[in-house]
Amino acid sequence: MRSILRLGALGCACLGPAALAADLPRHAAPPPLPVPPVFTWTGFYAGVNAGYGFGSGSDSFTDPTYGTISTGGGRDGFVGGGQVGYNYQFTPGSGFVVGAEADIQGTTFGRSRTGLVGSAPFYDVGPSLDWFGTVRGRIGYAVDRILVYGTGGFAYGGGSLPSFAASYTGPLPGTTRTGWAAGGGVEYAITDRLSARLEGLYVNLDRGHRDTIYDATAGAYYGVAPDSSAFGLVRAGLNYRFSTF
């Protein structure tokens, strides 16, 4: 009898820890941390910009009657406006980015010029350049949130004739101009949606455009001058990206 009791006690002693362990709560392994999505520049965007524009130097030509005619010098001033565009990044994270962008800008530096006919001053009946826009392609390379790019394409602009042009009876030049633009820049994504950029651009609007040189005070017409409608600009901007794919 005693042997049977001893065996029973020994069995309980052996089974006890296993039975208690089965009753304890089980702790599952913690779930893996979520992997953040890889950043991509792909998406539509819109933004604003502001900067400084600086015109080219003076032009001159020789008139058979009046001799050397020197048009006005460089023109500097504020440039500001907005842009819209679309980027596509081939490989998220780091990789090539292509896109297209259109912008419209107001200026304060493209006013009508004065100059010299020999040593006598004249007034330029040519139009001012009050605004311009571009439609450009973009190509660059992104390293995560930093994008370095080049850009180029079509440019156009326009303005108005000066008030004294009303006293000129000859043919007046048109107020719109076309040409091209090229440049480059660097852009940094502050958040997944908001990015800041710094861009330099050269704009040439000389295609098919000439200025009429006329002295409103003397009532004298001096001919047609080359139009110095080429200028550079440096601008900073902010973009908001609407969607990514």
Side-chain angles (χ1 to χ4, degrees), residues 113 126-128 161 173-178 205-212 224-229:
R113 301 170 298 176
S128 60
L161 295 172
T175 57
T176 59
R177 318 170 190 209
T178 61
L205 296 175
D206 288 348
R207 184 179 300 166
H209 188 84
R210 293 292 183 267
D211 281 353
T212 299
V224 177
D227 178 21
S228 180
S229 295

Side-chain angles (χ1 to χ4, degrees), residues 136-176:
R136 295 170 284 109
R138 301 206 311 166
I139 183 169
Y141 191 85
V143 179
D144 192 28
R145 294 177 177 269
I146 299 176
L147 172 62
V148 180
Y149 64 90
T151 182
F154 176 73
Y156 59 98
S160 58
L161 295 172
S163 59
F164 56 78
S167 63
Y168 176 62
T169 57
L172 292 173
T175 57
T176 59

Side-chain angles (χ1 to χ4, degrees), residues 22 51 75 97 208:
R75 298 160 292 180
V97 178

Side-chain angles (χ1 to χ4, degrees), residues 56-63 67-73 75 111-116 122-127 173 177 204-214 221-230:
S56 61
S58 61
D59 295 320
S60 64
F61 69 103
T62 301
D63 181 86
T68 300
I69 298 179
S70 301
T71 62
R75 298 160 292 180
R111 304 306 177 189
S112 296
R113 301 170 298 176
T114 60
L116 295 175
F122 72 84
Y123 295 96
D124 187 347
V125 183
R177 318 170 190 209
N204 188 309
L205 296 175
D206 288 348
R207 184 179 300 166
H209 188 84
R210 293 292 183 267
D211 281 353
T212 299
I213 305 304
Y214 174 70
Y221 166 67
Y222 298 121
V224 177
D227 178 21
S228 180
S229 295

